[in-house]
Amino acid sequence: MSGTYVGMPAFPRAAAAATRDDRLRANLTHATRTIRDKRARAVAELDDWAQLRAAGAAVKDRTLRRLDHYLEQLEAAVIAAGGQVHWAADAEEANRIVTALVAETGEREVVKVKSMATQETGLNEALARAGIRAYETDLAELIVQLGGDLPSHILVPAIHRNRSEIRDIFRREMGRWGRPAPEGLSDSPAELAEAARLHLREKFLSAKVGISGANFMVAETGTLVVVESEGNGRMCLTLPETLISVVGIEKVVPTWQDLEIFLQLLPRSSTAERMNPYTSTWTGTVDGDGPRTFHLVLLDNGRTDTLADSVGRQALRCIRCSACLNVCPVYERAGGHAYGSPYPGPIGAILTPQLRGVQGALEASLPYASSLCGACYEVCPVAIDIPEVLVHLRERVVEGGPVTVRGTRTVLRPARGHAAERAAMRAAAWAFDHPGGLRRGMHLAARTRRLHPRRLPGPGRAWSRTRDLPAVPAESFRDWWQRTRGTSSEGSGRRDRAGGEGT
């Protein structure tokens, strides 16, 4: 496995390969079912979970409606507290800013807190090209980095690995990155954790530059917040002399009172804990306490374009809890790598196509990487209606309509095979708009039902290969109603409404 998502195939091809990996499926099945069962118990403890969920969604929507205002407020507060703010329109600009900031310190090594934003921009690779080595300090991210692998889960990036695989990676690779693994290392969780702790301790104590993301940014005070479970984040955020945080612009919340809602929603949805073991907050710089220099890089990278989509923008509510991944039957079988992005699972299926645009084969395939069962919406702590956005994005792919991507109006071309689907949808729209034609079509279908095939020809062959076409009934509902009730459905509907029934 290479260390980059560039060149990944479309989802159907990647998923077909992943589902044949028995070990991968076993690892995923065990891990996701364990996490989702724990989450369900943690959420059930709160009688007001539904109200918290609605409040979180409302705060996010209110913030997104006035995002420019809150970002300017945040910038002013960070600067007033002694920090420096940089604006990055895309991944390339963000990487360029961070690389230059590290180079100014003269350091050639940095320690990193787990960060989805820097995975999104490919920061580690950009730093490597400049001769700067980035060390991941989250345990799962460390496993992925040492193994030359890719993250496959938002919360547990190495979810696709089992303990024996992790032991082998530590034995083989730790010495190349720093302190080697202890002799005779077993696959005991305690021994693996101790090996990682000893390896990382040297990095924490020697690094002069730390790089992080943030779970939230509080506009009213310019405070950044990182929640984590291992303590590595606390070490990276406090020990280095220079701290650089790369954060998506949608992570801002207006006030500390708003933050309180998410500090209840996030831990229960992600790690099934009542609260995070480590919640680190920092506001600018303070003499004698923590880093002497703080830089905040605010990342757009397609978020403004996503905000312009009235349906798709709800994806920007996401607080990266990963609850949707753990209940998704598609993710459980295909794994995270098949999504070709740092954002796997249902949230990745709607976020990646919006951030990148849907011109590429991979991005155009992701809205179809779902059964639309709705389990993701049920568990989302900020009530993102992922199935609704998936259908909306499928429409964009099929219609080939105009969409704004990176500030440029672009016409999407329907992917191969979608022309027939588009023609079928137009024919259906015409039929429903012409009742007489629909009635004649139903009569014809009923009278020729013995001639109907059980499999579709042409472009429909792949769909019907694993599905039986529904049998055509002997008569339409309209005909059955007239035969059994002796009146038209329209007249009966008026009678029912007048009598107060049928509501």
Side-chain angles (χ1 to χ4, degrees), residues 339-343 347-357 363 366:
Y339 294 82
S341 162
Y343 303 108
I347 188 61
I350 64 171
L351 190 58
T352 300
Q354 294 191 89
L355 296 182
R356 294 182 184 174
E363 292 77 14
L366 287 177

Side-chain angles (χ1 to χ4, degrees), residues 16-38:
T19 52
R20 291 194 292 268
D21 187 333
D22 293 338
R23 175 182 283 188
L24 173 66
R25 291 190 62 176
N27 293 346
L28 288 170
T29 298
H30 172 73
T32 55
R33 293 183 181 181
T34 299
I35 295 171
R36 71 175 177 241
D37 289 345
K38 290 175 61 180

Side-chain angles (χ1 to χ4, degrees), residues 209-223:
V209 180
I211 296 177
S212 82
N215 295 95
F216 308 101
M217 303 180 290
V218 183
E220 67 177 350
T221 59
T223 302

Side-chain angles (χ1 to χ4, degrees), residues 14 65 79 90 106 110 120 122 147 162 174 177 204 222 238 260 277 281 314 337 381 390 403 425 450 477:
R65 284 194 294 270
I79 293 173
D90 54 28
V110 302
E120 177 187 327
N162 60 34
M174 268 188 169
W177 289 77
F204 291 138
T238 57
E260 180 264 342
T281 66
Q314 58 186 298
H337 294 150
L390 287 167
V403 63
M425 291 300 103
R450 292 185 179 85
F477 175 80

Side-chain angles (χ1 to χ4, degrees), residues 137-153:
T137 63
D138 173 84
L139 176 57
E141 289 284 1
L142 173 67
I143 295 166
V144 168
Q145 185 176 53
L146 293 179
D149 206 343
L150 289 168
S152 63
H153 192 277

